[in-house]
Amino acid sequence: MDKLAGAVERITFYNPENGYSVLRLRPEVRGRQRLPGLTRDGLITVVGNLPEVSPGEHLKLEGIWDSHPKHGKQFKAEICEQALPSTIAGMASYLGSGMVKGIGPKIAERIVELFGEETFEVIEKSPERLEEVSGVGRDRMGKIIAAWEEQKQVKEIMVFLHAHGVSTNLAVKIFKQYGDTSLQVVQEDPYQLERDIYGIGFKTADRIAQALGLSPEHPSRIEAGIVFSLNETINQGHVYVPKGLLVQRAIELLAVSHELLPSGLERLERQERIRLEKLPMVNGREDELMDVVYLTPLYWGEVGVSERIKGLAKAQAPLFTQDKLPETGIELSPEQEQAVGMALEHPVSILTGGPGTGKTTCLKALIATLDHQKKHYALASPTGRAAKRLSEATGSPASTIHRLLEFSPVEGFKRNPDNPLNTDFLVVDEASMLDLLLTNNLLKALRPGTHLLFVGDIDQLPSVGAGDVLRDLIESEVAAVTRLKTIFRQAEDSQIITNAHRINQGQVPFFAKGGQGDFYLFPAEDAAAAADWVVDVVTERIPQTFGFDGLGDIQVLSPLYRGPAGVTILNERLQEKLNPPANGKVEKSLYGTIFRVGDKVMQTRNNYDKLVYNGDIGFIQGMDLVNQTLAVDFEGHPAEYEWSEADELTLAYAVSVHKAQGAEFPVIVMPVVTQHYMMLQRNLLYTAVTRARDLCVLTGNMKAIGMAVRNNKVTQRFSALKMRLSKKAEERI
């Protein structure tokens, strides 16, 4: 194989899934050595599956020279070693690239100017001399020393992990999790990485394990494969998985004998990682039982929600028993008056209905009544955006459920059975978003006798997390349910609300013409044309015609992530238009995504340390290339991320419909094309449309819209909550 060494000038492409990279390298040339593929700017194109590198890093490569039909001569790397540069210019470039926390370009130049070729030796062996450099005080020196040491240890890990497709950022995470024992952990049980570190899945851990010579039939591998298969199903919203289905999926994943699975399941149950149960067959005879598998927390969550709801429902302490509500000054229809009365009379009640049916009016009247009776009450929603909407709509304080329960990253939920909420009445809005575990923690914090009202639209998409709590509660008949159906006159003037109800009833929506109205369709026959319209209406037409800000007011939703009209490509195109690169605007490529100051981003998982949650949207306020951090403002809540944590963020110019649940935006733009046929469902289109407050724009064609409207199949989730809540539950389980 040929050899090549040099400094990374820039990264043209990086795929975080497999490490495939295209980068430009400034080679080290010895004497009159002539290298193939050297361009006029003195650079060589390098391709291959490489660790994630940064400009300024020095690489030693082994591979072959290859000729690309379009791009010409390039070096195809098969082996890559990240090394320290040997030239003074290379040292300055490396130190100033952001690879070492605490050193920026200016400080790097001063360090190299002072120490010359001995720079790395000084940092390594006599780091106290860094104080001799202008601008380097004791604090900065300490940061540089710590960062240099961490970098050394991470690189040792990378030497081992690179061959298995693990990126630099994941190596940093491994080091932060295990410290000096990192290599020991990886070598002894690589599957532990999957359990402990966000961003490392079974396939990566398995690749490492196989390279280490671990037997495909090793117990750790069997257990990891079972849990991965279980999680894959649960991530689709299920609470448990039928044992037969789980075994089938695990065998497909592991490619091992069926006989190895039972002992793996038994070991996992002994470790209390899973729970094996027998449940009545779905739609089967009452005496027919099936074997199912739960993740242990979900089993106890389901049992807990069932027991606590039934306990609350049995309470005989109505807050209101009169025939007529006290005078509140709020005009209610008979339907709304009944809803408020039921909430006050029944300990557990549900208020559901589509947009414009007066759910907010009911809440205002309920709050006024509770104020009149001098009762303590609280309002909460699953997300920050939903809580803000609830507060604005009712004029009363509202919080997220996490904040209401005083969640602490260290202590968990401070509100619990030992420290319950001091409230007589709790209202939970956007209840369709409630997953099983959050509901259980909420119920744990309620005193006996507390009245609980769930408010939500049952026709929207269910929760992203496991369970379908609101639907199960309604169908179990354990709670008093009011479904508002009347659309009030002021709402009838809104095409958005009218069309939302048409969609929900299986009817195709009407579209405005000539700039008069709030619901539009821009015709497009395919996904590429629909995407072009999305970019055009977001960046040009809507701002010019209606005065909305393309960045702050308009939210693009898409049914899918892939394809020309999917979330990923739309984000790239909208970023380029709404927040283009500019001199002085800091940006950084992390996990295959270019993040830039000013970008609209979304949190993709709950991070309890930062108090930001899955679906939160914010803007990048600053990026520190020296300390390798970026700062995000989530509607007044600041959060700081290290480079290695940036995989928790994604661009949010476009997001999936599921991620937009509970939020309301002035303007919604959404492509609806037949290429999205797998996701074209009535509840998805309905959920998307109801996110728009002032203007809704679809791009696509009537055929696709008709497909979505007609498809009313609601995917049933594996859950036993409804059964546990029903009257026959104790007899059947």
Side-chain angles (χ1 to χ4, degrees):
M1 285 194 293
D2 296 307
K3 295 183 178 181
L4 180 66
V8 178
E9 189 78 13
R10 62 179 178 270
I11 292 89
T12 306
F13 176 78
Y14 176 72
N15 183 341
E17 292 183 5
N18 57 18
Y20 182 78
S21 306
V22 180
L23 54 86
R24 298 282 281 163
L25 191 84
R26 188 170 297 282
E28 284 185 353
V29 181
R30 301 182 185 277
R32 296 186 178 182
Q33 181 186 13
R34 288 190 144 185
L35 294 171
L38 196 67
T39 56
R40 289 183 179 179
D41 55 3
L43 302 177
I44 288 173
T45 299
V46 176
V47 300
N49 292 337
L50 305 172
E52 189 169 7
V53 298
S54 298
E57 279 198 79
H58 196 80
L59 304 181
K60 291 182 179 178
L61 305 166
E62 293 185 35
I64 58 173
W65 291 100
D66 190 33
S67 289
H68 191 278
K70 183 177 179 181
H71 303 293
K73 210 79 168 172
Q74 54 190 24
F75 191 82
K76 194 173 182 179
E78 296 181 15
I79 297 174
C80 172
E81 180 186 344
Q82 293 166 279
L84 295 174
S86 56
T87 65
I88 289 177
M91 291 177 183
S93 177
Y94 175 81
L95 290 175
S97 68
M99 286 297 298
V100 183
K101 291 182 183 179
I103 303 180
K106 291 182 179 178
I107 295 294
E109 286 179 10
R110 293 174 194 166
I111 292 173
V112 174
E113 186 178 345
L114 183 62
F115 300 122
E117 294 180 354
E118 297 178 357
T119 293
F120 291 148
E121 189 176 351
V122 169
I123 297 174
E124 181 74 33
K125 297 179 179 177
S126 308
E128 67 281 354
R129 291 190 62 193
L130 288 169
E131 282 196 272
E132 299 173 20
V133 180
S134 174
V136 178
R138 188 167 293 274
D139 287 346
R140 177 168 286 192
M141 181 187 72
K143 288 181 181 177
I144 294 171
I145 293 170
W148 183 263
E149 190 61 30
E150 180 179 307
Q151 194 75 7
K152 270 176 52 185
Q153 295 187 51
V154 168
K155 285 197 180 297
E156 286 177 15
I157 299 168
M158 273 308 305
V159 170
F160 177 78
L161 295 179
H162 165 54
H164 314 299
V166 179
S167 71
T168 302
N169 282 319
L170 285 182
V172 172
K173 286 190 172 187
I174 292 170
F175 176 75
K176 287 185 180 295
Q177 179 74 27
Y178 306 120
D180 295 341
T181 64
S182 296
L183 283 177
Q184 181 184 342
V185 170
V186 172
Q187 291 171 329
E188 288 181 357
D189 184 9
Y191 297 104
Q192 189 172 336
L193 302 178
E194 181 197 1
R195 299 194 296 271
D196 294 344
I197 300 173
Y198 175 77
I200 295 183
F202 172 81
K203 292 180 181 177
T204 299
D206 198 44
R207 196 162 56 242
I208 297 169
Q210 298 304 302
L212 290 169
L214 205 71
S215 166
E217 298 182 352
H218 194 281
S220 292
R221 183 171 186 264
I222 303 300
E223 293 164 17
I226 293 172
V227 173
F228 177 80
S229 302
L230 182 56
N231 272 311
E232 284 283 280
T233 308
I234 286 168
N235 288 340
Q236 298 169 20
H238 301 291
V239 179
Y240 65 78
V241 184
K243 183 179 175 181
L245 177 61
L246 175 62
V247 168
Q248 178 188 335
R249 292 183 174 177
I251 290 172
E252 290 172 0
L253 174 73
L254 295 165
V256 297
S257 168
H258 183 282
E259 297 168 356
L260 296 172
L261 273 293
S263 58
L265 288 165
E266 289 172 7
R267 289 193 301 273
L268 287 168
E269 188 172 36
R270 285 198 300 270
Q271 298 164 24
E272 298 186 350
R273 294 173 65 189
I274 66 169
R275 180 88 180 201
L276 302 174
E277 288 288 313
K278 290 185 181 293
L279 294 177
M281 293 284 290
V282 179
N283 300 322
R285 298 198 319 264
E286 291 194 6
D287 59 344
E288 285 187 294
L289 298 177
M290 63 176 177
D291 293 310
V292 304
V293 186
Y294 286 86
L295 285 175
T296 301
L298 289 175
Y299 170 78
W300 289 115
E302 189 174 82
V303 171
V305 169
S306 170
E307 290 178 350
R308 290 181 175 88
I309 286 287
K310 287 190 290 188
L312 286 172
K314 289 176 183 176
Q316 301 296 317
L319 296 180
F320 180 79
T321 55
Q322 302 172 36
D323 294 332
K324 190 176 179 182
L325 294 172
E327 188 60 48
T328 62
I330 300 170
E331 187 177 342
L332 299 175
S333 70
E335 189 180 50
Q336 291 173 316
E337 192 166 315
Q338 180 188 5
V340 177
M342 285 183 70
L344 290 163
E345 185 177 348
H346 294 270
V348 182
S349 59
I350 296 170
L351 175 62
T352 186
T357 55
K359 295 191 297 294
T360 301
T361 303
C362 290
L363 288 183
K364 287 179 177 177
L366 174 65
I367 290 166
T369 303
L370 293 171
D371 283 333
H372 178 78
Q373 296 189 0
K374 295 182 170 52
K375 299 292 185 181
H376 294 288
Y377 59 87
L379 311 179
S381 287
T383 68
R385 281 181 169 266
K388 186 179 178 183
R389 282 179 61 199
L390 179 61
S391 182
E392 290 171 349
T394 61
S396 297
S399 68
T400 63
I401 293 173
H402 282 84
R403 188 166 293 173
L404 177 72
L405 301 183
E406 299 176 22
F407 182 83
S408 159
V410 178
E411 302 173 69
F413 293 100
K414 294 182 182 179
R415 294 291 186 174
N416 52 48
D418 298 324
N419 182 30
L421 292 167
N422 182 28
T423 184
D424 302 308
F425 202 111
L426 175 63
V427 176
V428 181
D429 196 23
E430 295 290 351
S432 62
M433 297 180 66
L434 283 173
D435 63 45
L436 188 68
L437 294 181
L438 184 58
T439 306
N440 190 38
N441 281 301
L442 178 67
L443 295 173
K444 284 181 183 178
L446 299 185
R447 299 178 306 189
T450 302
H451 277 232
L452 177 61
L453 171 64
F454 294 108
V455 183
D457 189 343
I458 191 59
D459 296 315
Q460 289 186 23
L461 291 169
S463 63
V464 174
D468 197 350
V469 174
L470 184 63
R471 187 176 301 278
D472 285 343
L473 287 171
I474 291 174
E475 293 181 358
S476 71
E477 300 181 355
V478 72
V481 180
T482 302
R483 183 158 191 162
L484 302 177
K485 297 178 180 179
T486 305
I487 305 173
F488 287 88
R489 205 178 317 162
Q490 60 268 31
E492 289 179 342
D493 297 333
S494 166
Q495 288 177 298
I496 295 172
I497 290 176
T498 301
N499 280 329
H501 286 274
R502 286 184 61 84
I503 291 167
N504 205 26
Q505 293 160 11
Q507 300 173 332
V508 174
F510 294 126
F511 295 97
K513 295 180 181 179
Q516 299 296 316
D518 58 17
F519 203 98
Y520 293 86
L521 172 66
F522 285 80
E525 287 305 311
D526 57 39
D532 289 342
W533 270 124
V534 168
V535 176
D536 183 53
V537 299
V538 170
T539 61
E540 301 290 342
R541 292 179 181 257
I542 293 176
Q544 291 173 7
T545 306
F546 297 97
F548 291 108
D549 175 51
L551 194 58
D553 295 330
I554 305 174
Q555 183 61 58
V556 175
L557 306 181
S558 180
L560 289 177
Y561 281 89
R562 298 183 177 180
V567 169
T568 303
I569 290 178
L570 285 175
N571 264 319
E572 292 173 359
R573 294 184 64 180
L574 290 167
Q575 181 193 43
E576 199 63 24
K577 285 281 191 178
L578 295 171
N579 189 32
N583 288 334
K585 186 182 287 186
V586 184
E587 63 179 52
K588 175 72 176 176
S589 178
L590 297 166
Y591 294 96
T593 298
I594 294 174
F595 291 105
R596 190 174 293 139
V597 172
D599 273 337
K600 187 179 187 179
V601 294
M602 174 180 279
Q603 178 75 12
T604 60
R605 64 181 288 254
N606 290 339
N607 187 317
Y608 300 113
D609 292 323
K610 300 184 193 300
L611 297 179
V612 290
Y613 304 101
N614 191 358
D616 286 353
I617 292 177
F619 289 87
I620 296 178
Q621 298 298 303
M623 300 182 75
D624 188 335
L625 297 178
V626 175
N627 292 308
Q628 302 178 8
T629 60
L630 59 87
V632 182
D633 178 73
F634 292 99
E635 298 191 8
H637 174 71
E640 186 174 88
Y641 296 78
E642 296 188 2
W643 287 165
S644 61
E645 300 174 309
D647 59 339
E648 298 182 16
L649 297 172
T650 184
L651 296 177
Y653 300 95
V655 302
S656 71
V657 180
H658 288 80
K659 290 289 190 183
Q661 286 177 263
E664 183 183 73
F665 306 93
V667 184
I668 286 296
V669 177
M670 180 176 171
V672 186
V673 290
T674 53
Q675 288 90 332
H676 294 163
Y677 69 94
M678 291 187 64
M679 294 296 293
L680 292 179
Q681 297 176 324
R682 185 185 297 177
N683 61 353
L684 182 134
L685 183 59
Y686 175 76
T687 301
V689 166
T690 54
R691 300 308 91 204
R693 187 182 68 221
D694 303 314
L695 181 65
C696 181
V697 177
L698 305 182
T699 71
N701 53 73
M702 293 302 299
K703 183 180 179 181
I705 293 168
M707 288 170 64
V709 167
R710 289 190 298 272
N711 183 5
N712 196 31
K713 294 179 181 177
V714 178
T715 304
Q716 294 296 315
R717 297 184 169 186
F718 296 127
S719 166
L721 179 60
K722 174 185 170 181
M723 189 164 29
R724 294 182 191 277
L725 287 168
S726 69
K727 294 178 181 178
K728 296 182 179 179
E730 294 179 3
E731 303 169 11
R732 300 185 71 191
I733 299 179

